[in-house]
Amino acid sequence: MKGPTAQTAPPALPVLRRAVRWAFSALVPAELVLVLCVLGGVRIPPAARLATESVMLLLAAVSATLICLDHRRHRRAGLDRRSAFLAAIADTVPAAVRKLTAHEVFLSTSFLRWVTRRGPHGVRDGDLPVPYAPGQTATTYGFLFVCVVETVALAFLIPWPVVHAVTLVLDIWGCYFVIALHASCVVRPHVVGADGSLRLRYGALLDIRIPADRIASVRLCREFPDGKLAVVDEHGVADMAVAGQTTVTVELTGPVRYVRALGRPAEARAFRFYAEDPASAVAALRSHHPVPGRTGTAGGYPGSRSCPTVGGHAGVAAPCDTGPTSGG
């Protein structure tokens, strides 16, 4: 009796959480505007600054109290300290906010790893890194050039101090984001594990782990999907395109669940992703997943000798390797 009772939150806590979330949604932009005004030389009345800071401190204290109460509740339910803390954070902080915060942390650490040339992240002995960043390098640096030109131009053209400060901060952050995202794509490649597992990533935004026993078949297949990153289509296929194309198709024996960039859960029965050297990636995966025969695919998809047949999904494909999934 005591365990289930401890797992149930008091009725007032959900209401208090919603109130805190709405208050933060209104006050965080106000705090940002206040900081930018100060940087821009605008004189802020002391009463307004004091009121804003007081409310922010109050909300921080209430949030900390909520997290402590939830942590105690999860501990009583039998979770260890780390799991209880993560569960308490999940109760109070929205998934999108958690993901965006994690993205910023991963972008910063990836940028430092890229600058210091420490090598790829998450690649152990026996693993094969599968780079994909070279496929978008030209586009990324072209976009960075446009961002720099825009930043310099607006810095000279905008005469109003507040607007100038806001625009300058946003433009500089935009330039940093482009560089850091490219750096995260460089140091966080796809990984074919030594045990035959597959880890698909897109910089700091996406990380999908596919166990070895879920991989049914793999083949070379160049396609040009038009969907968004890791969005599952009606056939259960998720595309992780780079520069608008994918080069490897992996079909699964069953659905794999993952979390998209902004925290929304999804599951897919097949993945199409881009690899700079797709032949090496396919060879490494096939060495762990030999499947006899040349026709038919596992995972509930119709067998076919042509490339664009994942779930019956047609697309542009060239070149396409439709040989057996066995090694050699």
Side-chain angles (χ1 to χ4, degrees):
M1 284 298 289
K2 192 174 181 178
T5 303
Q7 295 180 11
T8 304
L13 287 184
V15 177
L16 187 57
R17 285 196 197 97
R18 286 195 293 268
V20 169
R21 290 177 180 179
W22 280 105
F24 266 118
S25 300
L27 283 175
V28 170
E31 179 77 8
L32 179 60
V33 171
L34 187 65
V35 171
L36 292 176
C37 288
V38 172
L39 293 177
V42 178
R43 185 177 180 277
I44 306 297
R49 296 178 60 179
L50 179 61
T52 304
E53 297 299 333
S54 299
V55 174
M56 289 295 294
L57 288 175
L58 177 62
L59 286 176
V62 173
S63 299
T65 303
L66 284 174
I67 292 175
C68 290
L69 292 175
D70 287 329
H71 180 270
R72 180 180 300 179
R73 176 168 56 88
H74 289 299
R75 285 285 290 165
R76 290 175 178 173
L79 297 180
D80 57 68
R81 292 183 181 274
R82 183 176 183 274
S83 300
F85 177 74
L86 294 178
I89 294 294
D91 289 340
T92 303
V93 183
V97 176
R98 297 198 306 270
K99 290 294 290 185
L100 288 174
T101 303
H103 293 341
E104 290 298 326
V105 173
F106 291 153
L107 282 175
S108 300
T109 56
S110 298
F111 179 74
L112 292 176
R113 179 180 287 270
W114 181 60
V115 170
T116 56
R117 298 180 180 275
R118 291 178 54 192
H121 169 271
V123 179
R124 299 167 298 183
D125 293 339
D127 294 346
L128 174 68
V130 182
Y132 54 88
Q136 62 183 16
T137 299
T139 303
T140 300
Y141 283 118
F143 188 64
L144 177 62
F145 174 76
V146 173
C147 291
V148 172
V149 171
E150 179 192 22
T151 302
V152 175
L154 292 180
F156 285 100
L157 293 177
I158 297 178
W160 306 284
V162 176
V163 180
H164 179 275
V166 173
T167 305
L168 184 61
V169 170
L170 293 178
D171 283 341
I172 292 177
W173 180 85
C175 293
Y176 161 76
F177 179 81
V178 172
I179 298 175
L181 181 61
H182 176 68
S184 68
C185 290
V186 172
V187 302
R188 293 174 178 268
H190 304 315
V191 180
V192 178
D195 59 350
S197 61
L198 177 62
R199 187 176 184 181
L200 299 177
R201 300 189 282 191
Y202 186 79
L205 303 181
L206 201 63
D207 192 342
I208 303 172
R209 298 174 184 266
I210 304 175
D213 58 0
R214 289 293 183 92
I215 298 177
S217 65
V218 56
R219 64 177 182 270
L220 292 172
C221 188
R222 187 181 301 275
E223 299 198 41
F224 301 90
D226 54 3
K228 297 180 180 180
L229 180 66
V231 174
V232 182
D233 63 14
E234 64 273 16
H235 305 291
V237 183
D239 292 314
M240 298 182 62
V242 171
Q245 62 177 321
T246 62
T247 54
V248 179
T249 297
V250 176
E251 297 180 0
L252 311 177
T253 58
V256 167
R257 294 185 177 182
Y258 61 95
V259 179
R260 290 173 52 194
L262 291 181
R264 180 174 297 179
E267 65 176 30
R269 296 183 61 86
F271 289 91
R272 290 191 294 236
F273 64 93
Y274 177 85
E276 184 68 14
D277 184 6
S280 297
V282 170
L285 286 170
R286 286 179 173 177
S287 66
H288 293 282
H289 305 282
V291 178
R294 299 186 61 89
T295 61
T297 58
Y301 299 102
S304 175
R305 295 285 305 265
S306 61
C307 176
T309 57
V310 181
H313 182 75
V316 180
C320 190
D321 175 12
T322 58
T325 58
S326 58

